[in-house]
Amino acid sequence: AQSVTQPDIHITVSEGASLELRCNYSYGATPYLFWYVQSPGQGLQLLLKYFSGDTLVQGIKGFEAEFKRSQSSFNLRKPSVHWSDAAEYFCAVTYGGATNKLIFGTGTLLAVQP
Amino acid sequence: DGGITQSPKYLFRKEGQNVTLSCEQNLNHDAMYWYRQDPGQGLRLIYYSQIVNDFQKGDIAEGYSVSREKKESFPLTVTSAQKNPTAFYLCASMSVAGGGYTFGSGTRLTVV
């Protein structure tokens, strides 16, 4: 079955440190990949998406992600974390067309230390 | 501004009662989705609809029902058959062009 794996349930980083959140997806010929962020008690907000082309994509709030087909990965990065980045982050994938329903990972909860 | 409105934000239900969660969008999106979110389990798909008057079961449809009589609206009914309904419910929509979901701000349902 198609799936998304976020191996880190919880990550803590210091403010100003760099961040990388991992995401692996099950094999698919044409994955469309997304990262969402969720603040407590809120809906999910789209950070960035990858459909095709340049494998390094830029998103909002200073986030970027790199698609690596050989590793079936789509890791999210930020060079310097701010306290306001503390939230839960979800990776999602869809196959066979950008209009298909999304499959979500279980999320990574990010805590930021002062 | 266009968006998705979920109401109410908090909902309390007595055991044995049905309750309906509202989801309205003014984005002119064709597809709409209902997800359930529990701690540590991510988002699980309940029902989805890609066109008016048509909908499909997701991964955890038992104990839930939906309707799609209007493009803008996709209400979810949590029935008494749902054994563990306490959760955070998220509604989302997507345009025919794809590009990912737009989410509502969610409804937290608590059974008392």
Side-chain angles (χ1 to χ4, degrees), chain B residues 46-79:
Chain B
I46 305 173
Y47 268 99
Y48 65 103
S49 168
Q50 294 185 309
I51 195 170
V52 174
N53 292 322
D54 187 46
F55 49 82
Q56 286 77 42
K57 293 182 178 180
D59 301 318
I60 56 164
E62 184 175 352
Y64 300 96
S65 66
V66 294
S67 62
R68 187 85 187 277
E69 298 176 359
K70 299 187 300 181
K71 187 176 185 178
E72 302 79 16
S73 179
F74 191 42
L76 173 73
T77 297
V78 184
T79 75

Side-chain angles (χ1 to χ4, degrees), chain A residues 51-95:
Chain A
F51 287 177
S52 64
D54 192 346
T55 57
L56 184 63
V57 294
Q58 302 297 320
I60 62 172
K61 305 185 180 186
F63 285 92
E64 65 178 27
E66 186 172 12
F67 171 59
K68 293 185 177 180
R69 184 182 296 276
S70 62
Q71 299 177 19
S72 297
S73 70
F74 189 56
N75 294 349
L76 182 71
R77 301 195 294 247
K78 187 169 184 178
S80 177
V81 171
H82 187 263
W83 64 265
S84 60
D85 293 324
E88 190 156 22
Y89 292 79
F90 292 91
C91 182
V93 65
T94 188
Y95 298 95

Side-chain angles (χ1 to χ4, degrees), chain A residues 24-68:
Chain A
N24 293 95
Y25 61 92
S26 57
Y27 175 77
T30 311
Y32 297 80
L33 296 152
F34 306 82
W35 274 100
Y36 285 87
V37 60
Q38 184 182 33
S39 297
Q42 299 296 318
L44 278 70
Q45 180 184 21
L46 180 66
L47 284 175
L48 48 78
K49 59 190 176 186
Y50 171 78
F51 287 177
S52 64
D54 192 346
T55 57
L56 184 63
V57 294
Q58 302 297 320
I60 62 172
K61 305 185 180 186
F63 285 92
E64 65 178 27
E66 186 172 12
F67 171 59
K68 293 185 177 180

